[in-house]
């Protein structure tokens, strides 16, 4: 095999020639490749005539950042699962279009669908955005996904739970809310083109829009416990 490699033969040619010489199979081409790509035959890879068969350098694996002390959604209080009690929130980031690091951090109440959003310069600031929005509200639970931006979740000092990896449907309220927000901010849009005031107007409009799941009350009315006023005009100017 070594002599054949030094002569510039391929493993298939070597295996075929040995079979022809001996009258039966001595070694297969697959076995030769396996030997070449092992520590024992690696030095002979340089004799392979075709580049596509030369061993590729292994890339260093990216080390995954594990979220410490993570608890999954099965452990959430009953009020979070049934959505009957206000104060159980879901949170996430809108995503980062190519060429920009600016995005939105957002939270939504599971029971009332009350929505809050704030611009952040980088995904790494997501937890700071959540803290700013949840400050002053009574929070019984907070549901997040397993994004690396949530590694610092313990700084929030609130009961936090995580959906299982690759199961975005386990936090449906924030996903649905983002889908509604896309009516105002389409995909691939750059957040730097929207001012903080414009974002605030969009959020307020969503919170003042009646929802069928709330018996056509608005998220703002349900979240803040505002009694329905029959004399109130349809629509709102913001």
């Amino acid at each position: 095999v070594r002599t054949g490699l030094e002569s510039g033969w391929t493993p298939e040619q070597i295996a075929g020639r040995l079979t022809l010489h001996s009258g039966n199979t001595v070694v297969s081409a697959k076995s030769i490749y396996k030997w070449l790509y092992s520590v024992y035959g690696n030095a002979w890879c340089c004799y392979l005539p075709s580049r596509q068969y030369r061993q590729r350098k292994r890339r260093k694996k990216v080390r995954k950042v594990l979220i410490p002390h993570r608890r999954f959604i099965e452990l959430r209080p009953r009020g979070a699962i049934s959505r009957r009690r206000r104060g159980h929130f879901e949170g996430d980031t809108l995503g980062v279009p190519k060429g920009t690091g600016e995005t939105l951090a957002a939270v939504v109440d599971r029971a009332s669908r009350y929505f809050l959003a704030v611009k952040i310069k980088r995904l790494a600031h997501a937890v700071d955005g959540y803290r700013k929005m949840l400050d002053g509200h009574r929070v019984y639970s907070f549901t997040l996904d397993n994004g690396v931006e949530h590694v610092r979740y313990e700084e929030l000092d609130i009961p936090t739970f995580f959906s299982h990896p690759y199961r975005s449907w386990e936090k449906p309220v924030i996903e649905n809310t983002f889908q509604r927000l896309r009516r105002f901010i389409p995909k691939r849009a750059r957040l730097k083109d929207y001012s903080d005031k414009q974002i605030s107007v969009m959020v307020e409009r969503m919170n003042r829009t009646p929802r069928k799941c709330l018996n056509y009350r608005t998220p703002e009315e349900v979240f803040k416990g505002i009694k329905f006023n029959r004399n109130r005009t349809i629509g709102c100017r913001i």
Side-chain angles (χ1 to χ4, degrees), residues 198-227:
Q198 287 176 311
I199 298 295
S200 178
V201 168
M202 297 172 194
V203 170
E204 192 171 354
R205 181 172 178 177
M206 291 174 63
N207 285 331
R208 293 185 178 182
T209 299
R211 300 284 298 273
K212 182 179 179 179
C213 60
L214 301 176
N215 197 23
Y216 297 104
R217 298 182 66 193
T218 68
E220 183 181 51
E221 290 171 340
V222 176
F223 184 77
K224 297 182 179 180
I226 302 172
K227 292 184 179 181

Side-chain angles (χ1 to χ4, degrees), residues 61-222:
K61 292 184 178 180
V62 179
R63 187 178 179 182
K64 293 184 178 180
V65 180
L66 298 179
I67 298 175
H69 312 116
R70 182 174 49 177
R71 293 185 296 172
F72 290 109
I73 58 174
E74 295 87 25
L75 301 176
R76 288 186 302 188
R78 290 184 179 180
I81 299 173
S82 64
R83 304 189 197 179
R84 293 181 179 178
R85 188 180 187 184
R86 291 168 291 176
H88 296 283
F89 290 84
E90 292 180 8
D92 203 354
T93 54
L94 188 60
V96 182
K98 290 184 179 180
T100 178
E102 204 165 24
T103 184
L104 278 183
V107 299
V108 61
D109 178 61
R110 284 175 57 82
S112 65
R113 279 65 169 182
Y114 189 72
F115 180 52
L116 295 169
V118 64
K119 287 174 67 175
I120 54 175
K121 293 183 178 180
R122 294 174 54 194
L123 281 175
H125 299 156
V127 171
D128 300 320
Y130 298 147
R131 184 189 297 111
K132 180 179 179 180
M133 290 180 286
L134 294 175
D135 186 37
H137 295 294
R138 184 172 294 179
V139 182
Y140 298 107
S141 74
F142 192 36
T143 303
L144 297 171
D145 61 20
N146 297 272
V148 67
E149 66 270 21
H150 298 147
V151 171
R152 297 168 42 223
Y153 78 95
E154 291 178 309
E155 296 178 15
L156 296 172
D157 196 26
I158 56 178
T160 304
F161 304 87
F162 291 85
S163 60
H164 294 87
Y166 310 109
R167 295 186 181 181
S168 58
W169 62 86
E170 292 183 343
K171 48 183 187 61
V173 184
I174 189 68
E175 295 293 337
N176 178 266
T177 303
F178 276 158
Q179 188 175 359
R180 292 172 178 272
L181 182 63
R182 288 298 186 188
R183 300 173 185 175
F184 309 103
I185 305 176
K187 286 187 177 182
R188 298 181 183 178
R190 306 180 70 173
L191 265 296
K192 70 176 186 179
D193 296 332
Y194 298 86
S195 65
D196 291 333
K197 185 176 181 180
Q198 287 176 311
I199 298 295
S200 178
V201 168
M202 297 172 194
V203 170
E204 192 171 354
R205 181 172 178 177
M206 291 174 63
N207 285 331
R208 293 185 178 182
T209 299
R211 300 284 298 273
K212 182 179 179 179
C213 60
L214 301 176
N215 197 23
Y216 297 104
R217 298 182 66 193
T218 68
E220 183 181 51
E221 290 171 340
V222 176

